């Protein structure tokens, strides 16, 4: 399998530091993450149990490189490869023989006939395809949502391997998810084209989470690149800003593969205006970048509620960006990145908004700070 080094241009880095980047920078990050996954798979292939599957994967790549990259880009493959490679390196229990599922999916997509020995598992899932019958590899395809020319899969990770700490719904109500996601996409495509372009490059899978009693839940797991875990939102606009928020996390995950932005963590914790609990430095950086994207979303939307959200999150993100810059725990590259964020946010915080929106945003921020201080 081909593993290629990937570099990010100075122009793309600068654009990403401003919360932007567009399709070009997002594509570079996606390709960099694919290279990482390929390297991990090659490491796993050194285990004797994985060698037959790896040979099949190489054969499939010769027949159809695109088929193999489609499978490698599936978030479950990245999560499995990371988990397995780390376990092998630490001499901990691992299942490198599960590379057979990746190879089989690639062979099916490439049209390469093969006989594969599979390990015993409770649910036989082929990444990017669906749950299969091990006897003949017939599979129930994952449901899809068409977003213009882009297609997202809805995947509840039936084969397991969900990153720790995330709750996933038992199944997908496709009849509800398709129109809801399509409506959110329409908001992004019509009103925020650069955000839509980034989402189309970065996200391939949505994984439904159980409904949240307190509102919409969403998450991005670093090892499951390309997947957004979320519950349905009450309206298209809320789902659209949730997707924009998680796309920011996805960009930063891949960027931090390429560049060290933080010095070694000393376990200090910091106030985050969007959380009820304190955050470590990495969490503060991620939250700042995500809320830079949230502020960008609300900045151009009409109405008092949108202006209130814009005022709230531009100020919150600037506050934490300044905290990061003052922490003396950023690398030189990290300092340049956060400076890019802060420059944008300072300019935005000087923009006028409706006085009532500013008053509401200020009151919300103060109430949150008081709750946090009183914990």
């Amino acid at each position: 399998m081909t593993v290629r080094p990937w570099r990010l241009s100075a122009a793309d880095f600068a654009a990403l530091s401003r919360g932007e980047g567009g399709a070009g920078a997002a594509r570079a990050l996606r390709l960099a993450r694919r290279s990482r996954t390929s390297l991990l798979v090659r490491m796993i292939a050194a285990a004797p149990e994985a060698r037959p599957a790896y040979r099949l994967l190489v054969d499939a790549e010769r027949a159809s490189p695109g088929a193999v990259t489609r499978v490698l880009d599936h978030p479950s493959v990245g999560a499995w490869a990371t988990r397995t490679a780390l376990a092998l390196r630490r001499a901990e229990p691992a299942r490198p023989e599960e590379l057979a599922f990746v190879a089989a999916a690639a062979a099916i997509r490439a049209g390469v006939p093969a006989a594969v020995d599979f390990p015993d598992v409770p649910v036989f899932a082929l990444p990017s395809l669906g749950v299969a019958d091990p006897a003949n590899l017939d599979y129930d395809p994952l449901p899809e949502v068409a977003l213009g020319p882009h297609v997202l899969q809805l995947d509840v990770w039936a084969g397991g391997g969900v990153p720790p700490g995330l709750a996933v719904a038992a199944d997908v109500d496709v009849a509800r998810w398709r129109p809801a996601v399509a409506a959110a996409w329409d908001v992004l495509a019509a009103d925020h084209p650069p955000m839509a372009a980034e989402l189309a490059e970065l996200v391939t899978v949505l994984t439904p989470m159980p409904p949240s009693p307190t509102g919409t839940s969403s998450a991005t797991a670093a090892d499951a690149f390309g997947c957004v875990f979320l519950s349905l939102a009450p309206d298209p606009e809320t789902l659209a800003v949730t997707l924009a928020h998680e796309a920011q996390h996805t960009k930063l995950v891949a960027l931090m593969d390429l560049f060290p932005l933080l010095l070694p963590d000393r376990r200090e914790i910091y106030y985050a205006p969007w959380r009820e609990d304190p955050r470590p430095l990495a969490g503060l950086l991620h939250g700042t970048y995500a809320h830079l994207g949230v502020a960008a979303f609300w900045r151009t939307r009409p109405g008092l509620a949108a202006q209130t959200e814009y005022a709230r999150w531009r100020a919150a993100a600037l506050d934490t960006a300044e905290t990061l810059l003052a922490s003396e725990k950023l690398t030189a590259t990290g300092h340049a990145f956060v400076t890019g964020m802060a420059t944008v946010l300072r300019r935005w915080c000087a923009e006028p908004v409706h006085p009532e929106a500013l008053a509401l945003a200020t009151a919300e921020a103060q109430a949150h700070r008081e709750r946090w201080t009183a914990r």
Side-chain angles (χ1 to χ4, degrees):
M1 285 179 59
T2 304
V3 179
R4 301 162 61 186
W6 287 97
R7 293 178 174 84
L8 192 71
S9 71
D12 280 345
F13 181 88
L16 288 165
S17 77
R18 299 190 299 269
E20 303 165 356
R27 186 177 305 114
L29 294 175
R30 175 171 56 81
L31 294 176
R33 176 49 75 109
R34 181 189 297 162
S35 183
R36 175 187 186 270
T37 301
S38 297
L39 181 60
L40 292 173
V41 168
R42 287 184 63 175
M43 292 170 60
I44 293 165
E49 309 95 308
R51 287 174 191 164
Y54 185 73
R55 287 194 291 270
L56 175 58
L57 203 55
V58 171
D59 289 343
E61 186 179 47
R62 290 195 187 104
S64 176
V68 175
T69 57
R70 178 68 184 81
V71 176
L72 291 178
D73 283 351
H74 193 267
S76 68
V77 175
W80 171 82
T82 302
R83 182 175 65 251
T84 304
L86 284 174
L88 289 170
R89 183 175 180 179
R90 296 168 179 167
E92 296 172 353
R95 291 174 59 86
E97 64 272 21
E98 290 182 353
L99 185 60
F101 299 113
V102 180
I108 290 170
R109 284 191 173 275
V112 173
V116 184
D117 292 327
F118 295 103
D120 186 30
V121 291
V123 178
F124 194 91
L126 298 174
S128 82
L129 295 178
V131 175
D133 179 349
N136 54 26
L137 293 188
D138 287 340
Y139 61 90
D140 295 325
L142 294 170
E144 296 180 339
V145 182
L147 307 177
H150 184 54
V151 175
L152 289 177
Q153 291 182 317
L154 301 173
D155 191 348
V156 294
W157 297 55
V162 176
L166 293 176
V168 171
D171 51 27
V172 185
D173 186 344
V174 177
R176 291 184 64 221
W177 275 82
R178 275 186 177 145
V181 175
W185 171 261
D186 288 344
V187 171
L188 292 174
D191 301 339
H192 309 274
M195 292 182 181
E198 290 179 355
L199 186 76
E201 283 290 339
L202 295 167
V203 178
T204 57
V205 170
L206 298 181
T207 293
M209 301 177 76
S212 170
T214 58
T216 302
S217 297
S218 67
T220 299
D223 295 335
F225 183 86
C227 182
V228 171
F229 298 82
L230 77 168
S231 61
L232 281 179
D235 57 80
E237 188 178 53
T238 302
L239 187 54
V241 73
T242 300
L243 291 171
H245 173 119
E246 297 301 337
Q248 290 289 100
H249 282 302
T250 302
K251 287 192 290 184
L252 188 55
V253 159
L255 189 72
M256 292 177 76
D257 282 346
L258 300 175
F259 304 102
L261 302 182
L262 303 173
L263 296 174
D265 189 4
R266 300 178 188 172
R267 301 191 182 279
E268 286 92 344
I269 53 177
Y270 301 84
Y271 170 69
W274 42 80
R275 297 277 299 227
E276 298 298 325
D277 56 333
R279 302 297 289 156
L281 197 68
L284 196 69
L285 175 60
H286 259 283
T288 303
Y289 196 58
H291 283 84
L292 171 65
V294 170
F297 177 89
W298 291 116
R299 179 170 177 258
T300 57
R301 300 198 68 76
L304 182 65
Q307 287 210 3
T308 302
E309 293 294 306
Y310 172 52
R312 172 82 168 93
W313 299 120
R314 68 181 185 177
L318 178 58
D319 181 49
T320 53
E322 301 286 15
T323 298
L324 288 162
L325 290 172
S327 70
E328 299 185 349
K329 297 181 178 66
L330 299 171
T331 65
T333 305
H335 196 277
F337 184 76
V338 178
T339 297
M341 286 196 283
T343 300
V344 171
L345 290 162
R346 289 176 191 135
R347 185 175 73 248
W348 287 356
C349 284
E351 292 178 348
V353 297
H354 192 286
E356 186 178 348
L358 184 60
L360 287 169
T362 302
E364 290 173 6
Q366 183 177 349
H368 185 277
R369 173 76 79 162
E370 289 172 353
R371 287 198 308 274
W372 194 86
T373 304
R375 346 178 10 260

